[in-house]
Amino acid sequence: MKRLIPIVLAILLTPCWVKAADILVVVSADSPVQPLSRRELVDLYMGRSHYFPDGSPALKIDAPPDSALREAFYQALVNMSSSQVNAYWARLMFTGRATPPLPVANTDDLVSLLERNPSALGYLPEGSENKNLKTIFVIKESPGAP
Amino acid sequence: MATVFLVFGGYVSYLRAEKLERVNALQVVEELVTVVEGNAAIAAYLRDIQLATEIAQGLEASRYISHVTVDIEGNDSIRIGRERPDGAPDVFRPLPSPFSGAEVVGTIRVQADLAYIAELAAVGGRSVVGSQLAQLALVSLVTLWLVRRVVTRPLNSVVRQLKRIGLSGTEYLRGISSRSDDEIGYLAKNINSMLHTIHDAYLTEAEKNRHIAQLERKFRLIFEGSHAGIVLVDEHNQLALSNSAFEGMVDHLVERNPNGEGCSLTQYFRDPQRVEKVLDTVRRNRASAFCDLMLAGHQDVWVRGVFSMIQNQDDEEKEYVEVVFYDISDRALVEKHFEYGATHDQLTGLLNRRGGMGRFEQQIEKACAKGMGFMLCLIDLNDFKPVNDIYGHEAGDLVLKEVAQRLRDALRPDDVVVRWGGDEFVVSLLTTSAQAEDTIGRNLLAVFVESLEIKPGVRVQVGASIGIATSEGVGFDIERIIEAADVAMYEVKRGDKNSYRVFEDAI
């Protein structure tokens, strides 16, 4: 929680000052979704929650499987590598209840997908955002990670 | 005792084995839970009933586990398997969120199949105890066999051989053979040497005993078989021992003492005082003595007793007198005894006139038979009376004894020397040549040449007048021969005295 306070402050007061390596979690600008807590974000991406805290369904978009962005995102969020996350999902594949986030081919597809779908949730490296997108969480680049 | 120990030991090791089995089983349950714990946490995190059920079923499939409960936070519980009434889980694990260790998303509770584990433990314990008992039995059997082979059998063999050994046999002793090199072999060797020592000692002893028995038999034969009566008399003149010959001798004399002991020797004789005296003399002089005694009773039975001292080797105090009795009342013996006295002169030991007459007859018979001559010389001592008168009868007796001895020495053994009476002697002999008279006469005169010592330093001279008669001159009639010799002797006496003369018809 101590770490979250400066992050929230940074998002609210100086959105344009975020550091170059940070990852922004974004939704469509039209979405009613409010900024998320870290736990809510983890629950969404690791398959525990299928809905935003306000009850609206969430369409989770993943970066391309082999991208550095995906690696950096999961490392920072749950301290797992891309392959560990793949294994996690592979284990759950047969039960059918939890479904992994929908991967996209490249970052441009991600942006256009988010712009078009109000229930979609995705993440972008800092600097790729535009006015059609709304940042609901900022993940500080963990030290030493690419 | 061994059984109690065996049962107790078996029970203890059964308990240990059972406990070990139980702990092992519970450890397996723990490990199984650990294996599925991660996946269970994920299932709880995702609230994935399906996944949780599968995990629970997987666990429950283990034979050690009877019941599994997976509780999902804010959701239902999944219960698989039969739950024990007490409900206490044997393994309980909280399931943390895979992404945030602080958050608990569920729990997993597992009940072990205790009945099965107990059964398993019992089987395990039994098998451990069983194998231990089997091992024990095997070791015992092997030990028993080894003991039998190494100890019992050689020992038994030694004992069996010992039983067979007869020490009393005279044949060579067969020792104990043992093939063992151990203490039993050593024992057998020692026993052998001991047995041989004993056997040798036995043989020596047996030989000694045989020897003694033989000696004893011989002595008994001498003692019991003797015709002479033999007795041992103690210091109180009591019979200590007597043989059957003696008993036969005296049996009829005295009322037999029933206990046979304490009979006095003297009671058997007509003159007990004399017997006592002889015994005392023998004891005092420690020398043998003999004496003719008449037994008590109505018959005149003479016995000659030879009394001798016997020194007892064991006991110096006890002295015995041995007396050997010969029965001399036998007619021939009596006659011989009396004949000696009747035919011999007591002083000189020569024949007396009576004895001499008997021998003359024998000589004449022999001379006639063999065609030899018979010669008789009558010797009358001269100057003997003065010796008797001056020096006494003892001196006279000495002279007579000396003359008798010189005559014996001067003649051949077959010749007869007779004390004819007083100071007269007669010598008779057989002749083969006609001219023997002068030789004999001179030889006889030579007897009187040397003086006789009657006491130290005192010598006397006696002479002899000798009359000789021969069968050639007179014939073989002994009366005539003696007469002729007497005549010749008086011729000499009247003449030069110390000379000899042969009777001739011319006289």
Side-chain angles (χ1 to χ4, degrees):
Chain A
M1 286 309 278
K2 280 182 183 171
R3 261 170 63 192
L4 282 177
I5 294 165
I7 293 168
V8 171
L9 279 177
I11 291 165
L12 293 177
L13 300 176
T14 55
C16 52
W17 294 346
V18 270
K19 283 187 182 170
D22 290 349
I23 295 168
L24 309 176
V25 178
V26 295
V27 292
S28 164
D30 302 331
S31 169
V33 173
Q34 295 303 303
L36 298 171
S37 71
R38 186 181 177 86
R39 187 182 155 192
E40 281 163 351
L41 186 65
V42 169
D43 284 351
L44 280 168
Y45 264 91
M46 298 319 287
R48 198 184 193 195
S49 301
H50 301 283
Y51 306 98
F52 289 112
D54 60 358
S56 54
L59 174 62
K60 294 158 276 185
I61 309 292
D62 222 352
D66 298 326
S67 63
L69 176 63
R70 184 168 183 263
E71 181 80 33
F73 175 74
Y74 284 108
Q75 199 72 51
L77 190 67
V78 293
N79 197 25
M80 284 165 83
S81 67
S82 246
S83 54
Q84 281 175 319
V85 174
N86 290 345
Y88 174 77
W89 284 116
R91 263 195 282 180
L92 297 169
M93 209 60 98
F94 298 104
T95 64
R97 189 177 181 279
T99 49
L102 180 69
V104 292
N106 51 57
T107 313
D108 294 340
D109 289 349
L110 178 70
V111 173
S112 62
L113 203 60
L114 287 169
E115 282 172 345
R116 277 187 279 120
N117 193 333
S119 59
L121 172 69
Y123 55 88
L124 292 167
E126 190 185 19
S128 309
E129 77 272 22
N130 55 39
K131 56 180 176 34
N132 297 325
L133 299 175
K134 179 167 77 176
T135 299
I136 55 170
F137 196 81
V138 177
I139 295 171
K140 294 280 197 177
E141 185 69 85
S142 52
Chain B
M1 185 64 207
T3 316
V4 169
F5 178 78
L6 214 65
V7 166
F8 182 72
Y11 183 64
V12 166
S13 83
Y14 170 79
L15 285 185
R16 281 191 55 200
E18 191 198 25
K19 189 180 173 195
L20 197 71
E21 200 73 27
R22 193 188 299 275
V23 167
N24 273 348
L26 286 176
Q27 208 162 358
V28 168
V29 171
E30 293 260 4
E31 279 165 12
L32 285 173
V33 172
T34 306
V35 168
V36 301
E37 191 179 8
N39 284 349
I42 289 169
Y45 172 74
L46 294 177
R47 298 191 184 93
D48 189 337
I49 303 296
Q50 180 65 30
L51 185 58
T53 304
E54 277 172 23
I55 288 167
Q57 276 169 346
L59 265 184
E60 197 268 342
S62 160
R63 49 208 175 113
Y64 294 116
I65 294 168
S66 62
H67 174 76
V68 180
T69 303
V70 180
D71 285 316
I72 294 171
E73 205 69 24
N75 211 320
D76 285 333
S77 296
I78 297 124
R79 292 165 188 278
I80 302 294
R82 197 161 36 77
E83 196 172 3
R84 276 209 308 273
D86 60 48
D90 294 305
V91 179
F92 172 85
R93 297 272 173 87
L95 298 172
S97 160
F99 308 107
S100 160
E103 190 190 354
V104 172
V105 293
T107 57
I108 181 164
R109 283 177 288 155
V110 173
Q111 284 182 340
D113 189 346
L114 290 180
Y116 177 74
I117 287 172
E119 192 187 320
L120 212 65
V123 168
R126 274 200 297 275
S127 95
V128 163
V129 170
S131 75
Q132 275 178 352
L133 283 179
Q135 257 178 12
L136 199 68
L138 188 69
V139 167
S140 300
L141 275 176
V142 167
T143 310
L144 204 68
W145 181 77
L146 273 178
V147 165
R148 252 189 86 76
R149 183 168 179 78
V150 175
V151 180
T152 314
R153 218 187 303 157
L155 258 183
N156 278 343
S157 149
V158 166
V159 167
R160 220 173 22 250
Q161 293 182 64
L162 255 181
K163 274 183 188 162
R164 274 209 299 270
I165 286 171
L167 270 179
S168 53
T170 46
E171 73 277 6
Y172 175 72
L173 186 72
R174 253 186 40 226
I176 296 168
S177 64
S178 174
R179 277 170 303 169
S180 327
D181 284 334
D182 51 12
E183 285 81 354
I184 291 171
Y186 179 73
L187 189 75
K189 259 179 245 155
N190 270 8
I191 288 177
N192 272 348
S193 77
M194 207 165 73
L195 281 177
H196 281 295
T197 309
I198 292 173
H199 187 61
D200 289 348
Y202 170 80
L203 286 183
T204 314
E205 197 64 23
E207 176 60 29
K208 230 186 272 174
N209 282 344
R210 206 175 56 78
H211 193 64
I212 288 171
Q214 220 167 31
L215 267 181
E216 201 259 342
R217 225 170 21 247
K218 284 178 185 167
F219 286 141
R220 185 172 292 279
L221 201 68
I222 293 171
F223 185 69
E224 290 295 342
S226 170
H227 290 294
I230 304 173
V231 294
L232 279 186
V233 181
D234 66 11
E235 66 269 30
H236 304 299
N237 295 345
Q238 303 288 307
L239 290 182
L241 192 68
S242 61
N243 70 350
S244 49
F246 180 78
E247 277 154 20
M249 226 179 253
V250 300
D251 216 17
H252 57 286
L253 296 178
V254 183
E255 195 75 14
R256 202 172 170 73
N257 202 338
N259 44 23
E261 298 273 331
C263 297
S264 174
L265 177 68
T266 58
Q267 64 178 324
Y268 298 116
F269 297 94
R270 206 168 277 181
D271 189 356
Q273 279 80 26
R274 181 137 182 254
V275 177
E276 269 171 39
K277 230 179 89 188
V278 174
L279 285 167
D280 284 346
T281 311
V282 166
R283 289 203 188 95
R284 202 170 47 248
N285 297 345
R286 313 193 77 77
S288 301
F290 73 89
C291 151
D292 295 342
L293 297 160
M294 196 182 260
L295 289 180
H298 304 300
Q299 290 174 300
D300 287 353
V301 181
W302 281 92
V303 292
R304 170 165 292 184
V306 180
F307 296 74
S308 350
M309 286 296 292
I310 289 185
Q311 209 77 32
N312 196 335
Q313 285 181 331
D314 302 330
D315 192 353
E316 290 288 327
E317 304 284 311
K318 212 144 182 140
E319 285 181 340
Y320 289 102
V321 176
E322 178 211 50
V323 192
V324 181
F325 291 107
Y326 301 96
D327 189 344
I328 53 169
S329 61
D330 189 292
R331 191 48 51 193
L333 276 174
V334 170
E335 272 179 10
K336 222 173 187 174
H337 176 69
F338 285 109
E339 193 186 69
Y340 185 87
T343 58
H344 285 76
D345 171 50
Q346 269 199 320
L347 179 67
T348 59
L350 298 175
L351 292 165
N352 58 16
R353 188 186 282 242
R354 191 178 155 205
M357 285 305 282
R359 295 298 303 278
F360 298 157
E361 300 285 356
Q362 287 169 11
Q363 277 184 315
I364 286 167
E365 256 175 57
K366 194 174 173 188
C368 289
K370 297 197 172 179
M372 299 201 309
F374 176 75
M375 179 164 56
L376 188 141
C377 316
L378 182 63
I379 302 164
D380 187 70
L381 299 188
N382 299 324
D383 310 319
F384 176 70
K385 206 167 177 325
V387 175
N388 240 358
D389 294 343
I390 297 165
Y391 300 106
H393 285 287
E394 280 93 20
D397 288 353
L398 267 177
V399 168
L400 291 173
K401 276 191 194 171
E402 179 65 24
V403 168
Q405 190 57 49
R406 285 186 186 181
L407 286 172
R408 277 246 67 98
D409 292 346
L411 292 162
R412 299 168 297 181
D414 286 345
D415 299 341
V416 175
V417 183
V418 182
R419 186 177 174 207
W420 199 244
D423 55 353
E424 281 182 324
F425 295 86
V426 169
V427 170
S428 73
L429 32 100
L430 296 178
T431 56
T432 45
S433 62
Q435 265 70 50
E437 300 97 270
D438 290 323
T439 316
I440 299 297
R442 278 195 297 278
N443 281 352
L444 289 175
L445 280 177
V447 164
F448 301 94
V449 170
E450 200 180 335
S451 60
L452 302 112
E453 187 171 47
I454 50 168
K455 59 176 85 167
V458 180
R459 307 184 74 90
V460 295
Q461 186 76 48
V462 292
S465 304
I466 302 167
I468 300 172
T470 64
S471 56
E472 283 158 39
V474 189
F476 284 103
D477 180 27
I478 187 62
E479 296 295 336
R480 284 205 58 197
I481 291 173
I482 293 168
E483 221 177 86
D486 198 43
V487 169
M489 191 269 285
Y490 272 98
E491 287 290 322
V492 175
K493 263 252 194 290
R494 259 186 293 167
D496 55 355
K497 271 190 164 180
N498 291 325
S499 181
Y500 72 92
R501 189 182 176 104
V502 181
F503 175 82
E504 287 161 15
D505 284 332
I507 299 171

